[in-house]
């Protein structure tokens, strides 16, 4: 082995031995710097005979390149493993935290709302939304409840102190989303609109001042009361089970004509009132720029919280908002 190759081999061995980037960098002056063997060998080339000088110079260059390459690749490898090690030790280990606590679950009302959405989306409906603070036009007027109408009082509305008296309010039902949808979409329309609603009710075993409703609206050609009854029946059986029946009872809402209340059958043979429904009043269609001679439809609305109360057989609706984990954990 020539002198240059021996120098190079020793240098490469020292490079491979370096255990970290700092040690390797510390070797650089002795292996490749001014005082390195391979560097001083270069200045000694001048002492050789001219015909030997060329060949020796080439071998010296090859040796030097070998050491440079070994240095660079060792340095890359050491830097990469140092980085990997740092990532490993600095990583936050969250698995321990998770295993000590239970993961929790969605609130009962959220679960009920999600299931309702699934049932109706499966029937081809899409989900619509509207604001929780409404104007009198959307909450009442467009729904055929003018200012003088006695039904206006029955909604126990919470007004917001903004503009004219009683001009702005927390929506007292989800029906304003019917109007907003018909203003923005051309029929045919098949939507449901779940959301929060508010009334001045005092909280008791069956009432909450802030509660949730789900609205349904269908506008299409040749829609009849039979479609409404069939839709409610299909939904009730999908949500509560095949054995549960539904029935419609005549009722009154200014925005539907005819109107009905719908009930579902209970195990003991009695009926439980779930919500209101009816054929969309032609005046409401006209208020939204839809021609009632061409389009008809039905609407329904009911409370989601009451549905959860029934489904989980709670004896007090206030349990839903007390947020007692001992209660919530049971479901
Ligand atoms: N908005 C009515 C209520 O809150 C329910 C309803 C909706 C009735 C749609 C008919 C049609 O009491």
């Amino acid at each position: 082995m020539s002198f240059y190759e021996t120098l190079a081999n020793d240098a490469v061995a020292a490079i491979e031995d370096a255990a970290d980037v700092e040690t390797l960098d510390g070797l650089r002056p002795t292996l490749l710097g001014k005082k390195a063997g391979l560097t001083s060998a270069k200045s000694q080339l001048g002492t050789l005979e001219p015909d030997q000088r060329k060949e020796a110079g080439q071998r010296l260059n090859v040796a030097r390149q070998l050491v440079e390459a070994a240095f660079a690749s060792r340095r890359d490898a050491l830097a990469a493993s140092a980085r990997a090690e740092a990532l490993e030790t600095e990583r936050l280990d969250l698995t321990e935290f998770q295993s000590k606590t239970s993961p929790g679950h969605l609130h009962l009302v959220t679960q009920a709302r999600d299931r309702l959405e699934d049932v109706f989306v499966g029937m081809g409906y899409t989900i619509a939304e509207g604001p929780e603070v409404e104007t009198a036009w959307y909450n009442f007027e467009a729904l055929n409840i003018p200012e003088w109408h006695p039904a206006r009082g029955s909604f126990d509305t919470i007004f917001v102190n903004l503009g004219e008296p009683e001009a702005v309010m927390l929506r007292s039902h989800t029906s304003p989303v019917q109007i907003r949808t018909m203003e923005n979409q051309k029929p045919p329309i098949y939507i449901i609109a779940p959301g929060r609603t508010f009334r001045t009710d005092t909280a008791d075993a069956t009432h909450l001042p802030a509660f949730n409703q789900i609205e349904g609206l269908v506008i299409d050609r040749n829609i009849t009361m039979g479609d409404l009854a069939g839709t409610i029946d299909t939904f009730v059986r999908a949500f509560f089970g095949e054995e549960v029946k539904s029935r419609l009872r005549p009722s009154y809402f200014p925005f539907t004509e005819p109107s009905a209340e719908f009930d579902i059958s209970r195990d003991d043979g009695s009926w439980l009132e779930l919500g209101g429904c009816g054929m969309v009043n032609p005046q409401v269609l006209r208020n939204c720029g839809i021609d009632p001679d061409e389009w008809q439809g039905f609407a329904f609305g009911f409370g989601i919280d009451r549905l959860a109360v029934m489904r989980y057989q709670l004896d007090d609706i206030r349990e839903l908002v007390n947020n007692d984990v001992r209660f919530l954990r049971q479901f």
Side-chain angles (χ1 to χ4, degrees):
M1 205 184 289
S2 79
F3 174 63
Y4 300 146
E5 281 163 354
T6 311
L7 275 178
N9 279 350
D10 290 350
V12 170
I15 286 167
E16 294 302 324
D17 272 353
D20 51 53
V21 176
E22 290 71 35
T23 315
L24 184 66
D25 284 345
L27 291 176
R28 195 172 175 99
T30 32
L31 299 181
L32 290 160
K34 275 187 193 139
K35 296 200 177 97
L38 286 170
T39 311
S40 50
K42 196 170 180 183
S43 57
Q44 278 152 28
L45 285 175
T47 62
L48 297 174
E49 292 302 311
D51 55 333
Q52 292 173 351
R53 211 180 286 161
K54 188 178 173 208
E55 200 232 322
Q58 277 167 357
R59 282 195 290 119
L60 181 58
N61 273 343
V62 169
R64 208 184 149 85
Q65 277 160 15
L66 200 88
V67 178
E68 291 275 13
F71 191 94
S73 83
R74 180 71 181 152
R75 200 173 191 289
D76 284 351
L78 288 174
S81 71
R83 196 178 140 69
E85 204 176 309
L87 282 177
E88 186 58 34
T89 54
E90 287 163 18
R91 197 182 69 194
L92 286 180
D93 184 1
L94 299 174
T95 51
E96 195 185 357
F97 176 73
Q98 203 176 34
S99 67
K100 277 186 193 150
T101 53
S102 67
H105 60 71
L106 295 174
H107 192 273
L108 301 194
V109 173
T110 311
Q111 290 182 30
R113 200 192 60 201
D114 286 354
R115 280 207 55 219
L116 284 168
E117 289 182 2
D118 287 350
V119 168
F120 281 106
V121 166
M123 289 162 77
Y125 289 61
T126 56
I127 294 163
E129 280 184 338
E132 291 176 354
V133 180
E134 274 294 10
T135 60
W137 168 257
Y138 289 105
N139 200 68
F140 292 128
E141 255 115 75
L143 287 161
N144 201 32
I145 319 174
E147 195 143 16
W148 49 264
H149 202 290
R152 203 134 156 173
S154 71
F155 279 98
D156 302 318
T157 309
I158 299 173
F159 292 100
V160 175
N161 202 355
L162 229 152
E164 296 285 302
E166 307 201 348
V168 179
M169 62 214 65
L170 301 185
R171 65 178 177 192
S172 48
H173 50 172
T174 42
S175 298
V177 187
Q178 288 187 34
I179 306 300
R180 290 184 176 274
T181 305
M182 286 189 279
E183 278 181 353
N184 292 314
Q185 283 180 36
K186 291 208 175 336
I189 292 171
Y190 289 78
I191 58 117
I192 50 159
R196 287 208 297 172
T197 45
F198 309 85
R199 292 188 195 177
T200 55
D201 290 331
T202 304
D204 63 23
T206 53
H207 294 85
L208 291 173
F211 54 106
N212 295 272
Q213 280 194 339
I214 185 163
E215 194 82 8
L217 174 71
V218 167
I219 307 288
D220 208 336
R221 292 190 170 89
N222 306 317
I223 296 288
T224 70
M225 197 91 182
D227 297 309
L228 169 60
T231 302
I232 289 185
D233 203 54
T234 308
F235 143 71
V236 163
R237 281 189 286 119
F239 192 82
F240 292 100
E242 285 299 321
E243 66 291 349
V244 180
K245 292 189 205 39
S246 67
R247 72 172 184 189
L248 300 185
R249 266 181 303 113
S251 185
Y252 173 78
F253 298 101
F255 33 94
T256 45
E257 183 59 35
S259 302
E261 226 116 18
F262 65 95
D263 304 337
I264 62 166
S265 63
R266 280 198 285 211
D267 289 347
D268 63 1
S270 67
W271 295 87
L272 184 87
E273 184 190 318
L274 206 61
C277 61
M279 302 305 291
V280 177
N281 192 314
Q283 188 54 47
V284 174
L285 294 174
R286 267 182 234 116
N287 290 344
C288 301
I290 293 175
D291 179 2
D293 291 329
E294 190 180 355
W295 304 98
Q296 305 77 44
F298 62 77
F300 56 83
F302 53 89
I304 302 178
D305 314 75
R306 288 204 177 155
L307 211 81
V309 164
M310 224 165 56
R311 198 173 139 77
Y312 298 105
Q313 304 191 333
L314 315 181
D315 38 45
D316 195 319
I317 199 169
R318 286 170 293 191
E319 292 288 9
L320 293 174
V321 288
N322 285 342
N323 282 341
D324 184 335
V325 280
R326 291 166 302 178
F327 164 79
L328 292 170
R329 239 183 227 146
Q330 301 172 71
F331 303 96

